[in-house]
Each structure stands twice: as structure tokens, then as C-alpha cells.
Amino acid sequence: MTDTLADRTTDDLPGAAVAAFRFRKTLAVHANGVVIITAQSGGTPAGLTATSFSSVSLEPPLVSFYVDRASTTWPLLSAADHFAVNILASDQADLAARFARKGVDRFAPPTRWRPGPLGAPLLDDVSAHLVCLPYETAVVGDHLLVVGLVTDAGVHHPGRPLLYHQGRFGRFLAHPDGRS
């Protein structure tokens, strides 16, 4: 059996891990797309904002996101038999902020939504949505890696995405010459 860094404590590492504030400051220069993960658990809608969303595999079609292990919303999401990934459009920063806040009814007006094909809330006016079955969950540091098998997908408004960069929500502006 091979020994990996994940099997050790930080005291056992050959070099010290970077300090949390430096790590966060450095990663802030990387822009991330913004999604809201939603589910229906016991008839109650639940949801949270995530900036760690990623595609994983085409065969089978898998996506992933990370959620803080201390999240108070995660127990509701994890109890559901499926979840939706709502990919936010550039004008939905207020919605992203609402689903990131604690102590508010995230699904009350002005949030607009409808039940999806399996019942998970699909938010109105998003760029796209994916409906997923839980595929795998793993503890990774202070977060949980959640992988979902995509069973339904739809593009609604393929405009500009909402991004998260340097601790703020923002919009993508294409380079003037049209090149990436």
C-alpha cells in the first residue's frame, strides 16, 4: 500500500502547508463559474451557492462540486435522491448572494423557481441546468467532494456567465479581438 499526503497529518508533511490566508489570496486571482445546487428534501427545497463546480467525465456524464463539511444546508441536500445544478447568468449576482447567506428563506420571493422533472427546484432565468443523481461523495480536507451523474440537462439563456473572482461576483467580457 502506498502512502499518500492525504494519509498524513500536516505535522507529518515534509514541508509546511501554505497558510490559509495566503492560499485564499492566491486562489482569488482564479475566476470560477457560479452555480446554485438545489434539491427537495422531505418536501422542503434546499440550496446553496457553489463556485467549485466542474465537469468530471463524459462517459458516464459526471459533474462535481465541493461543499464545506460545516454547511448547515448540506444535510438537507444529501438526504435528497437527486439534485439540480443551476448555472447562473451574469445578471444573477443577487441570487448567488442570497443562496450564500445564512438565515434567509432562499426560495421565498424574489427567488423564482419551479420543480424539475424529478422534483428538484430549477431556478428561473438561469443559463442552464443539470439534474443529477448522487454518484459519489468523498471527504477531502475540510470539504466534501460531491459527484453527480447527469440525467437531464437544458440550456435556457446561453449568454454570459456569472463569475466569482477576487471575492466578488462579476461578468465575463470577451477580448475585443474575439480571440481567447
Side-chain angles (χ1 to χ4, degrees):
M1 184 165 131
T2 59
D3 182 35
T4 67
L5 287 179
D7 296 328
R8 303 180 193 177
T9 67
T10 53
D11 295 335
D12 299 332
L13 297 176
V18 67
F21 74 91
R22 188 172 187 184
F23 182 59
R24 179 174 283 185
K25 183 178 178 181
T26 302
L27 289 182
V29 301
H30 176 71
N32 295 301
V34 184
V35 301
I36 294 176
I37 308 298
T38 56
Q40 191 88 247
S41 179
T44 303
L48 56 80
T49 299
T51 59
S52 58
F53 175 74
S54 180
S55 63
V56 174
S57 169
L58 287 175
E59 290 296 331
L62 301 174
V63 295
S64 71
F65 65 94
Y66 287 89
V67 61
D68 190 315
R69 289 170 59 189
S71 168
T72 56
T73 305
W74 175 244
L76 293 170
L77 292 174
S78 66
D81 60 358
H82 68 285
F83 61 89
V85 178
N86 298 271
I87 301 173
L88 300 188
S90 64
D91 62 350
Q92 293 183 303
D94 289 342
L95 187 63
R98 180 180 186 85
F99 275 78
R101 273 195 292 276
K102 296 180 182 190
V104 298
D105 180 353
R106 297 169 179 165
F107 290 90
T111 301
R112 295 186 346 258
W113 63 279
R114 67 190 185 291
L118 298 175
L122 299 181
L123 302 174
D124 288 350
D125 303 319
V126 297
S127 293
H129 76 266
L130 302 149
V131 175
C132 304
L133 298 175
Y135 188 81
E136 191 164 338
T137 304
V139 175
V140 182
D142 60 0
H143 278 65
L144 295 167
L145 167 64
V146 180
V147 179
L149 174 69
V150 179
T151 62
D152 186 44
V155 175
H156 308 293
H157 306 287
R160 295 188 173 162
L162 181 63
L163 299 176
Y164 187 72
H165 182 249
Q166 295 186 344
R168 299 183 322 183
F169 296 116
R171 300 172 188 218
F172 171 79
L173 295 176
H175 193 274
D177 69 6
R179 291 184 282 170
S180 299

